[in-house]
Amino acid sequence: MELVSLAEVRAAAADLARTVLRTPLLPTPWHDRLWVKPESLQPVGSFKLRGATHAVARLDPGARRRGVVTHSSGNHGQALAYAARTAGIPCTVVVPEGAPTVKVDRIRALGATVLLVPPARRLAEAERVVADTGAALVPPFDDRRVIAGQGTVGLEIAQDLPDVDVVLVPVGGGGLASGVATAIRALRPAATVVGVEPALAADAHESLATGALTSWEPALTYRTVADGLRTNLSALTFAHLRERLDTVVTVSEAEILAATGRLARDVRLVAEPSGAVALAARLFHSDELPPGRTVAVVTGGNVDPALLAGLLTAADDPADPALLTAADPSADEEERPTG
């Protein structure tokens, strides 16, 4: 399988220049060799705008007229809706039931048609829309254009911190990690690129450990509060990660929530749980990581306001029960998610 090249990532950067924010590296106040890259500051609140914008830019005129469709738990849907609105083309987003309301409402506000379906039917429903309308499918991660667009995150890291030693990147479907690893591996070969996953949705960790692509059922992955990381790798992203990612670290639910609160209090950065997993790895699993100048990619900031409010009053210690109460205040102790 042919992998995405650095040349494709650079071509994507040119397509994104007028639409996507070039996010800075923000130093953390507690460590002089740790930075975060706040993709949460993008116009739609996540890195997904990069891949979606690049994919739309590469459509031919006929495809543009018929519009685009995707399946997404929220952030990619918002990104494609934004990119489609900017290009003046129709957009349909198939959303799995249980996705955060704040994300679904924002997809609709951007002018897209939203179709809610059971999680296991999201791809099938998107394919039905393609068959009925002729719209172009823009997957959340299983697409070379999307991977190249997400790879511009790594391109910017290498440009802004040429001597970076470690890059920590969340892994859901693997599009971002595939693109970032592609850019960093080419531009800073000595650096280590580490994927980070919730322990409750660790299909990439299992796949890379066994050497065979493994999928986890929604009944398992939907236990994690990191809703943007509940998807499985595709054959395309697995091929990239197997070749270019150094390792995967898993983090617990309490660690994810503690990192979310830490970003808000100490970095003044609003992040959703999915966006905080990379920092969680650095905060609580530093013994599993190489030393040196480290960048943690904060992938998104579309957090439920009630969840964020609860985390602001909880401690940074993953052992604090208030963290899991903030994630699900109605759950009994035995029912709350654990890592």
Side-chain angles (χ1 to χ4, degrees):
M1 181 181 296
E2 182 181 359
L3 304 185
V4 170
S5 68
L6 179 63
E8 289 173 88
V9 176
R10 284 180 163 148
D15 283 344
L16 307 185
R18 295 184 179 181
T19 303
V20 176
L21 178 68
R22 193 187 197 287
T23 54
L25 294 183
L26 301 180
T28 58
W30 66 86
H31 200 298
D32 63 2
R33 290 169 51 124
L34 174 62
W35 292 261
V36 295
K37 186 164 177 63
E39 287 296 293
S40 51
L41 300 181
Q42 293 293 350
V44 295
S46 84
F47 76 95
K48 293 284 192 176
L49 187 58
R50 295 173 182 267
T53 299
H54 181 50
V56 168
R58 296 286 155 154
L59 293 175
D60 62 50
R64 282 173 173 262
R65 286 192 296 272
R66 293 186 294 272
V68 291
V69 61
T70 193
H71 53 96
S72 167
S73 63
N75 282 343
H76 177 65
Q78 289 182 71
L80 189 62
Y82 185 98
R85 187 181 69 175
T86 300
I89 64 177
C91 176
T92 299
V93 181
V94 178
V95 178
E97 294 168 351
T101 302
V102 64
K103 295 183 179 181
V104 179
D105 289 346
R106 287 172 181 168
I107 293 171
R108 289 195 176 104
L110 287 165
T113 299
V114 172
L115 303 176
L116 287 167
V117 299
R121 281 204 46 80
R122 52 188 282 176
L123 176 57
E125 183 65 11
E127 290 174 337
R128 182 196 65 76
V129 174
V130 170
D132 289 350
T133 68
L137 179 65
V138 180
F141 52 86
D142 190 25
D143 186 284
R144 295 180 64 88
R145 301 162 300 175
V146 171
I147 291 172
Q150 319 304 30
T152 59
V153 170
L155 192 66
E156 292 173 11
I157 291 172
Q159 291 168 345
D160 292 347
L161 190 65
D163 55 355
V164 64
D165 296 307
V166 183
V167 177
L168 304 174
V169 56
V171 180
L176 176 65
S178 295
V180 168
T182 294
I184 297 296
R185 187 67 57 236
L187 297 171
R188 174 66 172 161
T192 300
V193 185
V194 180
V196 186
E197 272 187 315
L200 296 185
D203 63 287
H205 182 273
E206 181 177 341
S207 296
L208 294 174
T210 62
L213 181 59
T214 302
S215 294
W216 286 28
E217 293 298 321
L220 294 177
T221 63
Y222 268 62
R223 297 173 300 164
T224 181
V225 70
D227 60 277
L229 304 180
R230 292 168 176 166
T231 50
N232 291 285
L233 300 181
S234 68
L236 179 62
T237 56
F238 177 58
H240 281 79
L241 299 190
R242 183 172 53 186
E243 181 70 23
R244 295 172 175 169
L245 196 70
D246 289 288
T247 189
V248 175
V249 171
T250 62
V251 291
S252 73
E253 297 297 286
E255 289 166 348
I256 294 168
L257 295 167
T260 304
R262 186 76 179 271
L263 282 166
R265 286 190 299 271
D266 293 351
V267 191
R268 294 2 178 225
L269 193 64
V270 172
E272 60 192 274
S274 301
V277 298
L279 181 64
R282 181 62 180 76
L283 291 175
F284 306 113
H285 296 266
S286 59
D287 58 331
E288 300 176 44
L289 303 172
R293 293 165 293 272
T294 301
V295 174
V297 180
V298 177
T299 52
N302 295 314
V303 62
D304 184 296
L307 170 61
L308 181 62
L311 295 178
L312 288 175
T313 58
D316 292 335
D317 183 357
D320 183 358
L323 290 170
L324 298 181
T325 300
D328 187 1
S330 65
D332 294 329
E333 191 69 36
E334 293 181 356
E335 295 175 342
R336 289 180 188 143
T338 62

